[in-house]
Structures are given as structure tokens and as C-alpha cells.
Amino acid sequence: MLLVVVASAGYVARVAISVVAPQLMDAFALTQTQMGTIFSAFLLGYTAMQVPSGWLADRVGTRVLFGGVTVAWLVLTTATALARPVATISVVGVFMVLRALFGVAAAPTYPAAARAVAVTFPPAMHGRANGVVLASIGIGSALTPLVLVPVSRALGWRAGLLLAAVLTAVAAVAWWTAAPPVAGRVVRSTDDGTDGGTAPWRTPQFWFLFASYFLQGYVGYIFVFWFYSYLVQIRHFELLQAAGITALPWVATLIAIPAGGVASDAAVG
């Protein structure tokens, strides 16, 4: 449960900038193209660090790795809230650097969580355990507009991001205080019950999973980064009303993602 709480706080910090984006764009006279470039910088760092994050999770362990990234989330979210143009670097460049670094810091979240699940739960429960952890995506994404919009509306976009930083700080303290060490060896098994030694990328199943995750991410990040701005800027919803609508798809994932984990365990059981 602590893993879900911390991952949810991390997702709040991850998507907070999308909730304050309309105000941020007004403050710095940014175009939608410039804002899209800032959003994409996160994905560059996030994508580049996925494989190294898995390697780190196997060698460093979930407790230390998660503890380190929670501190990074706090620092980068606070830095984003306080960001100003630096010398000849435009504000777009400043935000791009901060978001790319946040992508690097966010990348270990689910590889480290998956490793913790793999060494803690029996294989027959991996799907449902990962489903519960991945529900943090829905929790964090649903809470972000509901919690941050009233604050950013009343006090400005910097206050909204600072609130996300405070939530991240609470999660970091909780993790370092209460998280147990997670040790153990991840055992991969083949259909005949033997230890699987084949590199995963040499199997067709790996590429089917790769393609499915790519397609899910392509659509999913449109909702993560643009749905709230679309409702406010294009459909002209009032801020609090847009926040409620933005949360709805993510509330649905709180059912769909754990249900998918249960279905996965049943399919391979």
C-alpha cells in the first residue's frame, strides 16, 4: 500500500504542470506549440531512462531507488514552481530542462515497483499486484486537477506546483520512514517450469507487449498532458468544472487497471 501511495504522489508531481498549463502559458505568453515542446521534453527523459531504470532496480533495490527518486521529484517540482528565464536561455528552455530531468527521475517508478512485486508475491499473483500498483496512475491523475486547480485558481500556478511539491515531500518522508527493504531474486519461468534464460527482446511476446504499451502510451499521454487544457482553452469550461471532467477517465482506471491484473492472472494461471 505504501508503494501505491508514493507512486500516486509521484504521478501528481508528474502531471501537475498540465493542470497549471493554461495559467503558465498566460504568464509567459507561451504558444500551444511551445507548451507541447515542454511536455515532450518529459517523455524524452522518461523514455531514455526506462531500460537503465530496470537495470538500476535490479541492482540497487526498490527501497533505495524509490527513496532517491522521491527526493528528485520534490526538488524538480519545487524548481519548476520557482522557474525564471536564466540569462540567454528562454523560459521554454528552462522548463524543457526541468521536465527532461523530471522524466529521468520518474522513469524508475514502475520498473522498481514491478521488481518489488516480482520478489514479494508468487507468480500467480503478479498480475493483480501490479494492477493495484498501476492504479496509482489513476489515483494521481484524478487527484491532481481536483486538488491543484482550486489552489492555482486562488493563488496562482506557482502555488499549485508548490502544493504538488508538498505532497511529494510527505510521500518521501513516509517512504524513508516506513518502507521495508525488498530483497530477493526474480525468478523467470518458462512454460515447462524451468528457469528462463532467453533474453526477453528475442521473443515475439516481448514485441507484442512493446507495441501494446506504445499504443496505450500514445493515447494516454494526450489525456495526461492536454485534456485539461483542451477543456479550458478550446471548450471554455470553467476551471473547477474542467477539473472534475478531467478526473473522470482516471477514476475509471481505478476499476479497469486492477481488473486487468486479475484477468491477466486468470489467463496465465
Side-chain angles (χ1 to χ4, degrees), residues 233-259:
Q233 296 178 327
I234 306 301
R235 304 299 297 180
H236 305 295
F237 280 85
E238 195 274 332
L239 295 180
L240 294 179
Q241 188 180 25
I245 296 173
T246 300
L248 289 178
W250 303 110
V251 171
T253 67
L254 299 182
I255 300 172
I257 295 178

PDB file of all heavy atoms in Angstrom, residues 233-259:
ATOM      1  N   GLN A 233      -9.209  25.791 -22.692  1.00  0.00           N
ATOM      2  CA  GLN A 233      -8.862  26.726 -23.754  1.00  0.00           C
ATOM      3  C   GLN A 233      -9.735  26.598 -24.995  1.00  0.00           C
ATOM      4  O   GLN A 233     -10.003  27.596 -25.669  1.00  0.00           O
ATOM      5  CB  GLN A 233      -7.393  26.558 -24.138  1.00  0.00           C
ATOM      6  CG  GLN A 233      -6.426  26.904 -23.007  1.00  0.00           C
ATOM      7  CD  GLN A 233      -4.981  26.684 -23.406  1.00  0.00           C
ATOM      8  OE1 GLN A 233      -4.661  25.790 -24.186  1.00  0.00           O
ATOM      9  NE2 GLN A 233      -4.087  27.505 -22.870  1.00  0.00           N
ATOM     10  N   ILE A 234     -10.142  25.387 -25.322  1.00  0.00           N
ATOM     11  CA  ILE A 234     -10.901  25.163 -26.558  1.00  0.00           C
ATOM     12  C   ILE A 234     -12.394  25.074 -26.281  1.00  0.00           C
ATOM     13  O   ILE A 234     -13.207  25.698 -26.965  1.00  0.00           O
ATOM     14  CB  ILE A 234     -10.423  23.881 -27.271  1.00  0.00           C
ATOM     15  CG1 ILE A 234      -8.901  23.939 -27.492  1.00  0.00           C
ATOM     16  CG2 ILE A 234     -11.159  23.696 -28.593  1.00  0.00           C
ATOM     17  CD1 ILE A 234      -8.421  25.109 -28.315  1.00  0.00           C
ATOM     18  N   ARG A 235     -12.759  24.314 -25.249  1.00  0.00           N
ATOM     19  CA  ARG A 235     -14.182  24.146 -24.926  1.00  0.00           C
ATOM     20  C   ARG A 235     -14.696  25.197 -23.946  1.00  0.00           C
ATOM     21  O   ARG A 235     -15.887  25.283 -23.693  1.00  0.00           O
ATOM     22  CB  ARG A 235     -14.411  22.745 -24.346  1.00  0.00           C
ATOM     23  CG  ARG A 235     -13.945  21.599 -25.244  1.00  0.00           C
ATOM     24  CD  ARG A 235     -14.665  21.566 -26.573  1.00  0.00           C
ATOM     25  NE  ARG A 235     -16.094  21.318 -26.377  1.00  0.00           N
ATOM     26  CZ  ARG A 235     -16.983  21.241 -27.379  1.00  0.00           C
ATOM     27  NH1 ARG A 235     -16.582  21.414 -28.622  1.00  0.00           N
ATOM     28  NH2 ARG A 235     -18.250  21.000 -27.113  1.00  0.00           N
ATOM     29  N   HIS A 236     -13.779  25.972 -23.365  1.00  0.00           N
ATOM     30  CA  HIS A 236     -14.110  27.096 -22.490  1.00  0.00           C
ATOM     31  C   HIS A 236     -14.914  26.689 -21.251  1.00  0.00           C
ATOM     32  O   HIS A 236     -15.819  27.398 -20.820  1.00  0.00           O
ATOM     33  CB  HIS A 236     -14.871  28.173 -23.273  1.00  0.00           C
ATOM     34  CG  HIS A 236     -14.137  28.643 -24.484  1.00  0.00           C
ATOM     35  ND1 HIS A 236     -12.933  29.323 -24.411  1.00  0.00           N
ATOM     36  CD2 HIS A 236     -14.424  28.512 -25.821  1.00  0.00           C
ATOM     37  CE1 HIS A 236     -12.510  29.605 -25.635  1.00  0.00           C
ATOM     38  NE2 HIS A 236     -13.385  29.121 -26.505  1.00  0.00           N
ATOM     39  N   PHE A 237     -14.538  25.547 -20.668  1.00  0.00           N
ATOM     40  CA  PHE A 237     -15.120  25.146 -19.392  1.00  0.00           C
ATOM     41  C   PHE A 237     -14.525  26.015 -18.277  1.00  0.00           C
ATOM     42  O   PHE A 237     -13.362  26.436 -18.340  1.00  0.00           O
ATOM     43  CB  PHE A 237     -14.832  23.678 -19.100  1.00  0.00           C
ATOM     44  CG  PHE A 237     -15.737  22.714 -19.817  1.00  0.00           C
ATOM     45  CD1 PHE A 237     -15.455  22.291 -21.122  1.00  0.00           C
ATOM     46  CD2 PHE A 237     -16.869  22.218 -19.194  1.00  0.00           C
ATOM     47  CE1 PHE A 237     -16.285  21.401 -21.768  1.00  0.00           C
ATOM     48  CE2 PHE A 237     -17.704  21.320 -19.842  1.00  0.00           C
ATOM     49  CZ  PHE A 237     -17.413  20.914 -21.131  1.00  0.00           C
ATOM     50  N   GLU A 238     -15.327  26.249 -17.256  1.00  0.00           N
ATOM     51  CA  GLU A 238     -14.822  26.891 -16.056  1.00  0.00           C
ATOM     52  C   GLU A 238     -13.798  25.972 -15.407  1.00  0.00           C
ATOM     53  O   GLU A 238     -13.892  24.760 -15.521  1.00  0.00           O
ATOM     54  CB  GLU A 238     -15.997  27.173 -15.109  1.00  0.00           C
ATOM     55  CG  GLU A 238     -15.675  28.148 -13.976  1.00  0.00           C
ATOM     56  CD  GLU A 238     -15.061  27.469 -12.783  1.00  0.00           C
ATOM     57  OE1 GLU A 238     -15.349  26.271 -12.566  1.00  0.00           O
ATOM     58  OE2 GLU A 238     -14.278  28.119 -12.070  1.00  0.00           O
ATOM     59  N   LEU A 239     -12.793  26.554 -14.712  1.00  0.00           N
ATOM     60  CA  LEU A 239     -11.647  25.781 -14.246  1.00  0.00           C
ATOM     61  C   LEU A 239     -12.036  24.593 -13.366  1.00  0.00           C
ATOM     62  O   LEU A 239     -11.553  23.471 -13.565  1.00  0.00           O
ATOM     63  CB  LEU A 239     -10.672  26.686 -13.493  1.00  0.00           C
ATOM     64  CG  LEU A 239      -9.993  27.786 -14.316  1.00  0.00           C
ATOM     65  CD1 LEU A 239      -9.046  28.593 -13.428  1.00  0.00           C
ATOM     66  CD2 LEU A 239      -9.239  27.202 -15.494  1.00  0.00           C
ATOM     67  N   LEU A 240     -12.893  24.814 -12.375  1.00  0.00           N
ATOM     68  CA  LEU A 240     -13.271  23.720 -11.477  1.00  0.00           C
ATOM     69  C   LEU A 240     -14.099  22.667 -12.195  1.00  0.00           C
ATOM     70  O   LEU A 240     -13.974  21.464 -11.916  1.00  0.00           O
ATOM     71  CB  LEU A 240     -14.035  24.277 -10.277  1.00  0.00           C
ATOM     72  CG  LEU A 240     -13.230  25.178  -9.342  1.00  0.00           C
ATOM     73  CD1 LEU A 240     -14.113  25.690  -8.211  1.00  0.00           C
ATOM     74  CD2 LEU A 240     -12.031  24.429  -8.776  1.00  0.00           C
ATOM     75  N   GLN A 241     -14.940  23.102 -13.127  1.00  0.00           N
ATOM     76  CA  GLN A 241     -15.723  22.134 -13.908  1.00  0.00           C
ATOM     77  C   GLN A 241     -14.799  21.294 -14.792  1.00  0.00           C
ATOM     78  O   GLN A 241     -14.962  20.069 -14.891  1.00  0.00           O
ATOM     79  CB  GLN A 241     -16.742  22.873 -14.769  1.00  0.00           C
ATOM     80  CG  GLN A 241     -17.730  21.950 -15.485  1.00  0.00           C
ATOM     81  CD  GLN A 241     -18.727  22.736 -16.322  1.00  0.00           C
ATOM     82  OE1 GLN A 241     -18.450  23.857 -16.755  1.00  0.00           O
ATOM     83  NE2 GLN A 241     -19.891  22.158 -16.545  1.00  0.00           N
ATOM     84  N   ALA A 242     -13.824  21.935 -15.413  1.00  0.00           N
ATOM     85  CA  ALA A 242     -12.859  21.206 -16.229  1.00  0.00           C
ATOM     86  C   ALA A 242     -12.062  20.216 -15.388  1.00  0.00           C
ATOM     87  O   ALA A 242     -11.749  19.108 -15.834  1.00  0.00           O
ATOM     88  CB  ALA A 242     -11.919  22.185 -16.925  1.00  0.00           C
ATOM     89  N   ALA A 243     -11.740  20.611 -14.150  1.00  0.00           N
ATOM     90  CA  ALA A 243     -11.002  19.705 -13.266  1.00  0.00           C
ATOM     91  C   ALA A 243     -11.793  18.446 -12.980  1.00  0.00           C
ATOM     92  O   ALA A 243     -11.252  17.327 -12.997  1.00  0.00           O
ATOM     93  CB  ALA A 243     -10.670  20.420 -11.956  1.00  0.00           C
ATOM     94  N   GLY A 244     -13.097  18.587 -12.721  1.00  0.00           N
ATOM     95  CA  GLY A 244     -13.931  17.422 -12.454  1.00  0.00           C
ATOM     96  C   GLY A 244     -14.032  16.502 -13.645  1.00  0.00           C
ATOM     97  O   GLY A 244     -13.947  15.264 -13.514  1.00  0.00           O
ATOM     98  N   ILE A 245     -14.178  17.073 -14.834  1.00  0.00           N
ATOM     99  CA  ILE A 245     -14.280  16.249 -16.045  1.00  0.00           C
ATOM    100  C   ILE A 245     -12.947  15.570 -16.340  1.00  0.00           C
ATOM    101  O   ILE A 245     -12.907  14.396 -16.739  1.00  0.00           O
ATOM    102  CB  ILE A 245     -14.736  17.116 -17.242  1.00  0.00           C
ATOM    103  CG1 ILE A 245     -16.142  17.654 -16.992  1.00  0.00           C
ATOM    104  CG2 ILE A 245     -14.694  16.312 -18.538  1.00  0.00           C
ATOM    105  CD1 ILE A 245     -16.610  18.650 -18.028  1.00  0.00           C
ATOM    106  N   THR A 246     -11.856  16.285 -16.132  1.00  0.00           N
ATOM    107  CA  THR A 246     -10.533  15.704 -16.370  1.00  0.00           C
ATOM    108  C   THR A 246     -10.295  14.486 -15.485  1.00  0.00           C
ATOM    109  O   THR A 246      -9.632  13.524 -15.892  1.00  0.00           O
ATOM    110  CB  THR A 246      -9.442  16.758 -16.096  1.00  0.00           C
ATOM    111  OG1 THR A 246      -9.646  17.870 -16.967  1.00  0.00           O
ATOM    112  CG2 THR A 246      -8.055  16.186 -16.335  1.00  0.00           C
ATOM    113  N   ALA A 247     -10.839  14.507 -14.280  1.00  0.00           N
ATOM    114  CA  ALA A 247     -10.627  13.386 -13.349  1.00  0.00           C
ATOM    115  C   ALA A 247     -11.390  12.137 -13.749  1.00  0.00           C
ATOM    116  O   ALA A 247     -10.994  11.018 -13.371  1.00  0.00           O
ATOM    117  CB  ALA A 247     -11.034  13.809 -11.941  1.00  0.00           C
ATOM    118  N   LEU A 248     -12.485  12.283 -14.502  1.00  0.00           N
ATOM    119  CA  LEU A 248     -13.373  11.143 -14.759  1.00  0.00           C
ATOM    120  C   LEU A 248     -12.691   9.963 -15.452  1.00  0.00           C
ATOM    121  O   LEU A 248     -12.875   8.811 -15.011  1.00  0.00           O
ATOM    122  CB  LEU A 248     -14.589  11.612 -15.564  1.00  0.00           C
ATOM    123  CG  LEU A 248     -15.599  12.489 -14.812  1.00  0.00           C
ATOM    124  CD1 LEU A 248     -16.721  12.920 -15.747  1.00  0.00           C
ATOM    125  CD2 LEU A 248     -16.166  11.729 -13.609  1.00  0.00           C
ATOM    126  N   PRO A 249     -11.939  10.163 -16.555  1.00  0.00           N
ATOM    127  CA  PRO A 249     -11.290   8.991 -17.174  1.00  0.00           C
ATOM    128  C   PRO A 249     -10.359   8.262 -16.220  1.00  0.00           C
ATOM    129  O   PRO A 249     -10.247   7.029 -16.262  1.00  0.00           O
ATOM    130  CB  PRO A 249     -10.523   9.589 -18.367  1.00  0.00           C
ATOM    131  CG  PRO A 249     -11.184  10.896 -18.637  1.00  0.00           C
ATOM    132  CD  PRO A 249     -11.657  11.396 -17.306  1.00  0.00           C
ATOM    133  N   TRP A 250      -9.701   9.012 -15.344  1.00  0.00           N
ATOM    134  CA  TRP A 250      -8.759   8.396 -14.410  1.00  0.00           C
ATOM    135  C   TRP A 250      -9.475   7.663 -13.287  1.00  0.00           C
ATOM    136  O   TRP A 250      -8.966   6.650 -12.778  1.00  0.00           O
ATOM    137  CB  TRP A 250      -7.809   9.458 -13.860  1.00  0.00           C
ATOM    138  CG  TRP A 250      -7.082  10.153 -14.963  1.00  0.00           C
ATOM    139  CD1 TRP A 250      -7.240  11.444 -15.386  1.00  0.00           C
ATOM    140  CD2 TRP A 250      -6.114   9.564 -15.837  1.00  0.00           C
ATOM    141  NE1 TRP A 250      -6.420  11.697 -16.452  1.00  0.00           N
ATOM    142  CE2 TRP A 250      -5.719  10.569 -16.749  1.00  0.00           C
ATOM    143  CE3 TRP A 250      -5.537   8.298 -15.930  1.00  0.00           C
ATOM    144  CZ2 TRP A 250      -4.775  10.344 -17.741  1.00  0.00           C
ATOM    145  CZ3 TRP A 250      -4.595   8.066 -16.915  1.00  0.00           C
ATOM    146  CH2 TRP A 250      -4.231   9.072 -17.813  1.00  0.00           C
ATOM    147  N   VAL A 251     -10.642   8.128 -12.901  1.00  0.00           N
ATOM    148  CA  VAL A 251     -11.449   7.388 -11.929  1.00  0.00           C
ATOM    149  C   VAL A 251     -11.825   6.030 -12.505  1.00  0.00           C
ATOM    150  O   VAL A 251     -11.803   5.004 -11.809  1.00  0.00           O
ATOM    151  CB  VAL A 251     -12.699   8.198 -11.536  1.00  0.00           C
ATOM    152  CG1 VAL A 251     -13.647   7.355 -10.693  1.00  0.00           C
ATOM    153  CG2 VAL A 251     -12.299   9.464 -10.769  1.00  0.00           C
ATOM    154  N   ALA A 252     -12.150   6.005 -13.799  1.00  0.00           N
ATOM    155  CA  ALA A 252     -12.498   4.739 -14.451  1.00  0.00           C
ATOM    156  C   ALA A 252     -11.333   3.756 -14.429  1.00  0.00           C
ATOM    157  O   ALA A 252     -11.526   2.540 -14.297  1.00  0.00           O
ATOM    158  CB  ALA A 252     -12.947   4.993 -15.891  1.00  0.00           C
ATOM    159  N   THR A 253     -10.091   4.279 -14.523  1.00  0.00           N
ATOM    160  CA  THR A 253      -8.937   3.371 -14.499  1.00  0.00           C
ATOM    161  C   THR A 253      -8.745   2.707 -13.145  1.00  0.00           C
ATOM    162  O   THR A 253      -8.085   1.666 -13.062  1.00  0.00           O
ATOM    163  CB  THR A 253      -7.635   4.120 -14.869  1.00  0.00           C
ATOM    164  OG1 THR A 253      -7.317   5.072 -13.851  1.00  0.00           O
ATOM    165  CG2 THR A 253      -7.761   4.811 -16.218  1.00  0.00           C
ATOM    166  N   LEU A 254      -9.302   3.298 -12.092  1.00  0.00           N
ATOM    167  CA  LEU A 254      -9.179   2.670 -10.773  1.00  0.00           C
ATOM    168  C   LEU A 254      -9.883   1.328 -10.721  1.00  0.00           C
ATOM    169  O   LEU A 254      -9.575   0.470  -9.887  1.00  0.00           O
ATOM    170  CB  LEU A 254      -9.757   3.601  -9.703  1.00  0.00           C
ATOM    171  CG  LEU A 254      -9.081   4.964  -9.557  1.00  0.00           C
ATOM    172  CD1 LEU A 254      -9.728   5.759  -8.440  1.00  0.00           C
ATOM    173  CD2 LEU A 254      -7.591   4.790  -9.302  1.00  0.00           C
ATOM    174  N   ILE A 255     -10.834   1.136 -11.605  1.00  0.00           N
ATOM    175  CA  ILE A 255     -11.504  -0.154 -11.740  1.00  0.00           C
ATOM    176  C   ILE A 255     -10.842  -0.981 -12.828  1.00  0.00           C
ATOM    177  O   ILE A 255     -10.554  -2.168 -12.658  1.00  0.00           O
ATOM    178  CB  ILE A 255     -13.002   0.043 -12.053  1.00  0.00           C
ATOM    179  CG1 ILE A 255     -13.679   0.817 -10.932  1.00  0.00           C
ATOM    180  CG2 ILE A 255     -13.694  -1.307 -12.278  1.00  0.00           C
ATOM    181  CD1 ILE A 255     -15.109   1.222 -11.241  1.00  0.00           C
ATOM    182  N   ALA A 256     -10.556  -0.332 -13.955  1.00  0.00           N
ATOM    183  CA  ALA A 256     -10.087  -1.058 -15.127  1.00  0.00           C
ATOM    184  C   ALA A 256      -8.696  -1.661 -14.937  1.00  0.00           C
ATOM    185  O   ALA A 256      -8.448  -2.805 -15.353  1.00  0.00           O
ATOM    186  CB  ALA A 256     -10.099  -0.132 -16.340  1.00  0.00           C
ATOM    187  N   ILE A 257      -7.778  -0.921 -14.327  1.00  0.00           N
ATOM    188  CA  ILE A 257      -6.405  -1.426 -14.211  1.00  0.00           C
ATOM    189  C   ILE A 257      -6.317  -2.624 -13.264  1.00  0.00           C
ATOM    190  O   ILE A 257      -5.762  -3.665 -13.637  1.00  0.00           O
ATOM    191  CB  ILE A 257      -5.447  -0.305 -13.787  1.00  0.00           C
ATOM    192  CG1 ILE A 257      -5.362   0.757 -14.883  1.00  0.00           C
ATOM    193  CG2 ILE A 257      -4.050  -0.865 -13.505  1.00  0.00           C
ATOM    194  CD1 ILE A 257      -4.485   1.939 -14.531  1.00  0.00           C
ATOM    195  N   PRO A 258      -6.851  -2.543 -12.025  1.00  0.00           N
ATOM    196  CA  PRO A 258      -6.815  -3.758 -11.186  1.00  0.00           C
ATOM    197  C   PRO A 258      -7.584  -4.928 -11.802  1.00  0.00           C
ATOM    198  O   PRO A 258      -7.168  -6.078 -11.671  1.00  0.00           O
ATOM    199  CB  PRO A 258      -7.471  -3.286  -9.877  1.00  0.00           C
ATOM    200  CG  PRO A 258      -7.224  -1.815  -9.844  1.00  0.00           C
ATOM    201  CD  PRO A 258      -7.343  -1.371 -11.284  1.00  0.00           C
ATOM    202  N   ALA A 259      -8.695  -4.636 -12.482  1.00  0.00           N
ATOM    203  CA  ALA A 259      -9.449  -5.709 -13.138  1.00  0.00           C
ATOM    204  C   ALA A 259      -8.607  -6.370 -14.221  1.00  0.00           C
ATOM    205  O   ALA A 259      -8.658  -7.590 -14.409  1.00  0.00           O
ATOM    206  CB  ALA A 259     -10.746  -5.156 -13.730  1.00  0.00           C
TER     207      ALA A 259
END
